[in-house]
Amino acid sequence: MESLRRVESRCSVADTDDFDLSRMLDKQPRLNIERKRSFDDRSLSELSISGNFRHTESYESMLSPMATRSVLDTPASSSKNVFDPHPIVFEAWESLRKSLVFFRGQPVGTIAAIDHSSEEVLNYDQVFVRDFVPSALAFLMNGEPEIVKNFLLKTLQLQSGEKKIDRFKLGEGAMPASFKVLHDPRRKKDTIIADFGESAIGRVAPVDSGFWWIILLRAYTKSTGDLSLAETPECQKGMRLILSLCLSEGFDTFPTLLCADGCSMIDRRMGIYGYPIEIQALFFMSLRCALSMLKSDAQGKEFMERIARRLHALSYHMRSYFWLDFQQLNDIYRYKTEEYSHTAVNKFNVIPDSIPEWVFDFMPMRGGYFIGNVSPARMDFRWFAVGNCVAILSSLATPEQSVAIMDLIEERWEELVGEMPLKICYPAIESHEWRIVTGCDPKNTRWSYHNGGSWPVLLWLLTAASIKTGRPQIARRVIELAETRLLKDGWPEYYDGKLGRYIGKQARKFQTWSIAGYLVAKMMLEDPSNLGMISLEEDKAIRPVIKRSVSWTC
């Protein structure tokens, strides 16, 4: 969740009551949900950096037919299953529907949590962009795309508003972290107020919101077969504005995206500043999604060229320098330091003595993962769930690396899954390191919240990664594990402890994305064709041969 604050906190975004969502919706043709061919992922091998871009024909369709449903209907997924759904599925759908937020009579999202036992609402009654993603996927998989379309258009409209923190104006393409619908029953008027980070603890803008928006637009298009929404001038401009922010040239010598601490799901100080894996994986996936949806007009072509160049560089950088397995760990352990010139092996001048002791025991002979961060003289060896799962889904990870990530999860099941899936990161930081890294954050104590806590929402990401890598048994096992506790415990936000045994000390109950994450995982396992809306196949054109420098064996 975005860092806690009271709902009375002041937001700088202007009143948007002059915007009528129905007017924008009326511009779109009503959906014919009889499935069209899927919206294709364009292969970079079909693109020329010199600008000869063209649309390609679909090479596959992973989609299955569905029927349009009302947001008040019972789940479609349960009616088409070949086996009876788990009893908590209906409870989950009922709770998810209770979280719906309406703007002028139309559903535009789901609030973060409905915890009536809590005395303070804080910001859990807002619609968060990243939190809504699993809810959106659940509705898409259930044949209810209208709410997702409404959400995409509403957040797009909020993007165009003025965004200020103190006297500083944010980039035009920034997407909000969240928004709140205010109802005035006396005047019969609805107003939306957005938060772009100006009310968050630390005042950090959410870098991931724009990436999730692009990914969700592609999921909507894949699910419905409706290309018209992504091709509207508004959506095309929205994508270009997001891309302008992250493709701009500056002083960076790496293709990765430089970020502040607390700019993603881990939205408090946790030492992820620099080049965190979660942001890099989402960046990579959103670039590939945008490439498949941008129109080949004059403006679109320019961005397609820039995306193609960045993807080549980014995939090489991540696969070369962020990847860690037993052999690579042993090589880093033997690194020489203070190397100079282009022949250097230890390009970031990482001091071998800085390798933490735990990683030598954690790293199995079989398996590997993308580490948390790489920057000059610094490697964060922690394992982060979102970054590694998204790396698999986006094909940032090669097929071999994807298999290795799943091998690691199986080899280190107790540490990463335990009694409640899934650890957001591993291991927890504690003692003196905790004081320095978190600033003595009382919420991120060891094995709690973002510091090694277990988050049920991550079920959907792990399930998707498991299905894509041909390991559905992992998905089945974690779902069955979660089903023993989630409903009984009231759908907590997170669990605490090394094994994830205890409900989090400040966890909200009836957390919407815990509910939606379970439903999405369940529906993907029951109908693996649902994976198509959130998965990208490997593009051979961005898989360069990774060569070591001549001094590698010295």
Side-chain angles (χ1 to χ4, degrees):
M1 282 296 306
E2 185 75 12
S3 303
L4 300 184
R5 62 189 182 279
R6 296 181 181 276
V7 293
E8 292 82 10
S9 61
R10 188 165 178 262
C11 297
S12 64
V13 178
D15 189 314
T16 60
D17 62 350
D18 59 329
F19 174 77
D20 188 349
L21 185 63
S22 61
R23 281 184 296 173
M24 204 162 186
L25 286 169
D26 288 341
K27 291 167 140 185
Q28 312 298 322
R30 303 304 294 176
L31 290 183
N32 176 9
I33 303 298
E34 182 179 347
R35 189 76 67 177
K36 301 177 185 177
R37 290 178 68 83
S38 64
F39 201 60
D40 307 327
D41 305 321
R42 299 177 204 166
S43 169
L44 285 179
S45 59
E46 309 252 354
L47 303 177
S48 166
I49 299 300
S50 62
N52 298 320
F53 292 85
R54 60 185 177 83
H55 288 271
T56 60
E57 289 298 315
S58 175
Y59 62 89
E60 70 169 336
S61 176
M62 300 180 67
L63 306 172
S64 59
M66 67 178 181
T68 307
R69 304 182 62 80
S70 160
V71 294
L72 300 177
D73 282 349
T74 53
S77 61
S78 62
S79 63
K80 64 184 179 183
N81 294 342
V82 295
F83 51 86
D84 291 333
H86 194 281
I88 73 172
V89 168
F90 293 101
E91 297 278 355
W93 274 109
E94 185 178 352
S95 295
L96 181 60
R97 296 190 192 285
K98 287 179 181 177
S99 71
L100 285 168
V101 173
F102 292 83
F103 177 75
R104 296 181 180 173
Q106 297 173 327
V108 292
T110 52
I111 62 173
I114 309 176
D115 188 355
H116 298 297
S117 64
S118 177
E119 294 180 359
E120 290 185 301
V121 176
L122 299 172
N123 62 347
Y124 284 83
D125 64 345
Q126 298 186 22
V127 180
F128 283 80
V129 173
R130 77 173 69 92
D131 291 39
F132 180 67
V133 171
S135 295
L137 295 176
F139 286 119
L140 288 174
M141 292 177 188
N142 200 47
E144 304 176 53
E146 285 301 317
I147 181 177
V148 182
K149 186 174 186 176
N150 294 347
F151 170 85
L152 289 167
L153 291 173
K154 174 49 62 182
T155 47
L156 185 63
Q157 191 270 335
L158 293 172
Q159 180 198 41
S160 63
E162 186 179 65
K163 302 172 278 286
K164 270 189 169 183
I165 297 182
D166 293 332
R167 298 182 181 182
F168 184 73
K169 186 177 180 181
L170 274 68
E172 190 179 0
M175 279 287 186
S178 64
F179 63 85
K180 181 178 175 65
V181 177
L182 301 176
H183 302 286
D184 186 342
R186 185 177 60 84
R187 298 170 59 193
K188 296 182 179 179
K189 181 179 178 183
D190 288 351
T191 306
I192 283 187
I193 296 179
D195 175 21
F196 290 85
E198 70 271 27
S199 298
I201 295 174
R203 303 300 188 265
V204 179
V207 176
D208 62 338
S209 286
F211 299 153
W212 279 122
W213 187 89
I214 292 175
I215 292 167
L216 187 55
L217 178 61
R218 187 253 182 192
Y220 169 87
T221 307
K222 289 281 282 187
S223 173
T224 63
D226 172 31
L227 281 66
S228 62
L229 178 62
E231 291 180 347
T232 59
E234 293 86 357
C235 283
Q236 290 289 309
K237 181 182 178 182
M239 283 190 284
R240 291 196 303 267
L241 288 175
I242 295 169
L243 294 169
S244 293
L245 284 179
C246 55
L247 292 175
S248 58
E249 296 176 349
F251 292 100
D252 291 311
T253 55
F254 315 127
T256 40
L257 204 59
L258 183 63
C259 304
D261 221 338
C263 64
S264 59
M265 179 180 175
I266 297 179
D267 59 3
R268 298 169 75 90
R269 182 175 160 188
M270 270 290 292
I272 65 165
Y273 62 89
Y275 305 91
I277 179 60
E278 178 176 338
I279 292 297
Q280 312 314 319
L282 288 171
F283 180 31
F284 181 88
M285 188 167 190
S286 65
L287 288 178
R288 290 199 64 194
C289 289
L291 188 61
S292 72
M293 295 185 291
L294 285 170
K295 296 173 73 173
S296 297
D297 53 20
Q299 290 177 302
K301 267 189 176 182
E302 177 193 351
F303 278 95
M304 290 162 74
E305 292 172 3
R306 293 168 68 184
I307 290 172
R309 288 193 294 267
R310 192 61 166 263
L311 283 172
H312 278 281
L314 184 60
S315 60
Y316 177 86
H317 184 89
M318 297 298 296
R319 294 167 182 175
S320 300
Y321 305 122
F322 274 68
W323 181 253
L324 189 72
D325 54 21
F326 180 83
Q327 183 59 52
Q328 181 69 357
L329 178 59
N330 205 162
D331 291 338
I332 296 171
Y333 176 69
R334 290 167 49 82
Y335 268 170
K336 294 178 181 178
T337 60
E338 309 301 326
E339 292 182 300
Y340 181 74
S341 87
H342 65 278
T343 61
V345 175
N346 186 0
K347 293 182 184 292
F348 297 94
N349 198 35
V350 175
I351 311 300
D353 287 346
S354 68
I355 302 174
E357 288 295 326
W358 66 264
V359 76
F360 292 104
D361 295 326
F362 178 72
M363 179 60 69
M365 294 294 293
R366 183 176 67 99
Y369 65 104
F370 288 98
I371 62 174
N373 219 311
V374 177
S375 57
R378 176 181 177 235
M379 279 186 164
D380 182 350
F381 289 91
R382 285 177 294 175
W383 180 90
F384 290 87
V386 175
N388 278 275
C389 288
V390 172
I392 291 174
L393 296 177
S394 65
S395 291
L396 171 60
T398 66
E400 297 80 9
Q401 289 172 334
S402 296
V403 168
I405 292 170
M406 301 310 296
D407 285 342
L408 178 83
I409 292 173
E410 288 192 305
E411 292 284 337
R412 295 293 177 258
W413 188 268
E414 185 171 324
E415 291 89 344
L416 301 179
V417 178
E419 296 182 16
M420 176 55 67
L422 178 67
K423 287 292 180 197
I424 189 171
C425 71
Y426 181 90
I429 52 179
E430 50 189 316
S431 303
H432 180 67
E433 185 182 13
W434 167 79
R435 288 190 287 272
I436 297 298
V437 172
T438 73
C440 301
D441 187 351
K443 192 165 187 177
N444 273 330
T445 53
R446 63 177 183 174
W447 306 114
S448 181
Y449 203 51
H450 298 142
N451 189 12
S454 299
W455 291 68
V457 64
L458 300 177
L459 267 175
W460 80 267
L461 281 168
L462 180 55
T463 296
S466 301
I467 294 171
K468 185 174 181 182
T469 53
R471 309 268 185 101
Q473 70 277 8
I474 293 179
R476 190 171 296 109
R477 187 178 172 189
V478 294
I479 290 171
E480 290 174 354
L481 190 61
E483 285 174 338
T484 64
R485 293 281 305 272
L486 283 180
L487 180 61
K488 181 177 65 174
D489 293 342
W491 304 99
E493 181 183 8
Y494 63 94
Y495 287 77
D496 285 355
K498 270 192 173 183
L499 297 176
R501 180 176 294 170
Y502 304 97
I503 297 174
K505 60 184 176 182
Q506 295 187 42
R508 291 301 172 106
K509 299 290 188 73
F510 293 95
Q511 186 79 15
T512 303
W513 70 354
S514 295
I515 297 164
Y518 164 74
L519 288 172
V520 171
K522 194 77 171 174
M523 285 189 281
M524 274 195 291
L525 186 60
E526 292 167 0
D527 182 3
S529 69
N530 283 319
L531 178 67
M533 68 178 74
I534 201 67
S535 175
L536 295 161
E537 294 307 308
E538 185 187 26
D539 194 320
K540 298 296 194 298
I542 55 175
R543 192 182 181 187
V545 177
I546 298 175
K547 296 180 180 179
R548 301 296 184 187
S549 66
V550 293
S551 64
W552 179 253
T553 57
C554 296

